Amino acid sequence: MDVQQLSDRLEIADVLTRYTRAIDTGDWDRLDTVFTPDAQIDYTQSGGIEGGYGTVKPWLAEHLPIFPRRMHTLGQVEVRYDGAAAGGDVADVAAYFHNPMMMPTGDGAEVLIEFGGIYHHRMVRTADGWRSERLVEELVWKRGL
């Protein structure tokens, strides 16, 4: 691996972290530093929607606050560059995730629900750094729902 490849991997890891922090904290505008304006996002495997970033961002802001406490953990991350040469401007990124959330039950109590899966991002290098132009959330398991 050369210095550019190491730098790219660190930048891509930062994009993944910004994504999970934005979702967990409800800082929806921070997602603008994660996705390209024309990004396509698919949350259908976990019961969400599929659509363009302009549609999905307000949907997240409307629906995720039902879970007042959210906390992602990312595990292994695989970065595969498009084409033969590593260090290109397009990369397919797979990141394992665990996402426990607390959901109110309506009687003042809360129940823990958890999702585990893989985020599949198609990342592109832009003038503002690496951004996701496509996200597909693959749900591998869930508990509590």
Side-chain angles (χ1 to χ4, degrees):
M1 234 182 260
D2 64 18
V3 173
Q4 183 62 55
Q5 291 167 328
L6 290 171
S7 175
D8 288 344
R9 288 174 181 271
L10 288 172
E11 286 184 50
I12 288 168
D14 283 348
V15 173
L16 296 171
T17 299
R18 284 196 311 269
Y19 170 74
T20 59
R21 293 289 298 144
I23 295 294
D24 292 346
T25 63
D27 185 358
W28 312 117
D29 288 336
R30 191 173 188 188
L31 293 172
D32 297 346
T33 70
V34 172
F35 293 103
T36 62
D38 61 345
Q40 293 296 305
I41 303 169
D42 182 350
Y43 290 127
T44 56
Q45 287 190 26
S46 61
I49 66 169
E50 178 179 8
Y53 176 60
T55 300
V56 173
K57 179 182 172 184
W59 179 87
L60 290 168
E62 179 181 347
H63 290 91
L64 283 189
I66 190 173
F67 308 103
R69 292 182 286 160
R70 304 176 292 272
M71 187 184 85
H72 276 84
T73 302
L74 293 177
Q76 58 208 47
V77 175
E78 177 185 42
V79 177
R80 292 181 303 134
Y81 292 99
D82 192 12
D89 292 334
V90 178
D92 289 314
V93 178
Y96 284 47
F97 73 87
H98 174 220
N99 184 18
M101 299 179 286
M102 298 304 293
M103 185 173 73
T105 60
D107 59 359
E110 294 179 316
V111 63
L112 174 66
I113 64 167
E114 298 175 88
F115 293 95
I118 305 168
Y119 290 128
H120 297 278
H121 286 273
R122 178 75 161 183
M123 299 268 189
V124 295
R125 187 190 317 269
T126 72
D128 296 319
W130 286 93
R131 298 291 186 266
S132 178
E133 69 176 7
R134 184 179 71 228
L135 167 59
V136 176
E137 180 185 66
E138 176 188 353
L139 188 63
V140 176
W141 61 271
K142 65 182 175 180
R143 180 173 27 200
L145 226 136

